[in-house]
Amino acid sequence: MSDTPGRRILLGRVIGAFGVKGDVKLESWTEPRAAIFRYQPWILRTPQGAERELRGVRGRDTGKHVVAQIPDIDDRDTVEAMRGTEIYVPREALPPPKPGEYYWVDLEGLRVLNLEGVDLGTVSHLFSTGANDVLVTRDDERERMIPFVTPQYVHGIDFDAGVVTVDWDPEF
């Protein structure tokens, strides 16, 4: 499995201020939501592309929001200027996945072959629809969206070979 140094995982983003003393309201994509504080350092990336590394962030899940206290930020205006800032962590900051589990980012770049060996491109990314996750593949000609449902559509993932095997019609 790829643990490429420098690879980053997007865990959330700043969605606004919480109160007047510099607390930051976050959208967290970890499960549970407050687990975002376990993984540090954070790399903050503004919508304009500026980045900075941050350590020592604390916070809590209030039930309605995830709220962070960021070192050296103590006013609402500074937080509002951070709106839309993405929160990344180095891939190596996350625990290794359990057997049979993986991080989506570890699938990105793998070749996708159907059961007949037809190359359907590489994994571009995955996204969730609520009903199921979707594997997006791209090649020189097209993009495909394959339901990430095992074993119905996704038959196997071989990290050593760099291949995801799917039951999918190449014309679809």
Side-chain angles (χ1 to χ4, degrees):
M1 188 166 326
S2 174
D3 253 353
T4 309
R7 193 165 221 189
R8 298 175 178 177
I9 309 292
L10 179 63
L11 292 186
R13 68 183 171 97
V14 175
I15 58 174
F18 185 85
V20 295
K21 296 187 178 188
D23 285 352
V24 180
K25 196 170 12 173
L26 304 178
E27 180 176 16
S28 171
W29 297 307
T30 63
E31 187 59 43
R33 297 183 316 174
I36 194 169
F37 301 111
R38 291 186 208 151
Y39 312 115
Q40 296 196 34
W42 284 5
I43 297 122
L44 300 181
R45 183 179 172 85
T46 68
Q48 296 77 30
E51 293 185 357
R52 72 178 177 133
E53 188 173 294
L54 186 64
R55 296 177 186 272
V57 180
R58 296 177 302 126
R60 66 197 182 282
D61 188 340
T62 68
K64 189 171 183 181
H65 303 288
V66 176
V67 177
Q69 294 84 42
I70 296 178
D72 302 323
I73 294 182
D74 57 8
D75 71 274
R76 184 178 181 88
D77 293 337
T78 302
V79 173
E80 284 299 332
M82 294 175 65
R83 189 181 292 267
T85 295
E86 296 174 324
I87 302 164
Y88 291 86
V89 297
R91 168 63 179 85
E92 54 274 5
L94 299 175
K98 296 174 186 166
E101 295 182 353
Y102 29 78
Y103 292 106
W104 284 359
V105 71
D106 293 336
L107 300 175
E108 293 173 4
L110 296 182
R111 301 295 310 164
V112 179
L113 303 176
N114 74 1
L115 296 174
E116 291 78 37
V118 175
D119 190 332
L120 303 177
T122 60
V123 177
S124 167
H125 63 283
L126 289 98
F127 65 90
S128 181
T129 65
N132 58 268
D133 299 329
V134 175
L135 179 87
V136 179
T137 70
R138 288 196 179 125
D139 61 22
D140 292 335
E141 299 174 18
R142 62 187 292 191
E143 178 179 272
R144 292 178 179 86
M145 292 186 214
I146 303 169
F148 197 87
V149 178
T150 59
Q152 189 174 7
Y153 300 112
V154 178
H155 281 246
I157 299 168
D158 184 340
F159 286 104
D160 293 331
V163 172
V164 177
T165 304
V166 298
D167 185 359
W168 198 254
D169 182 341
E171 300 304 315
F172 191 71

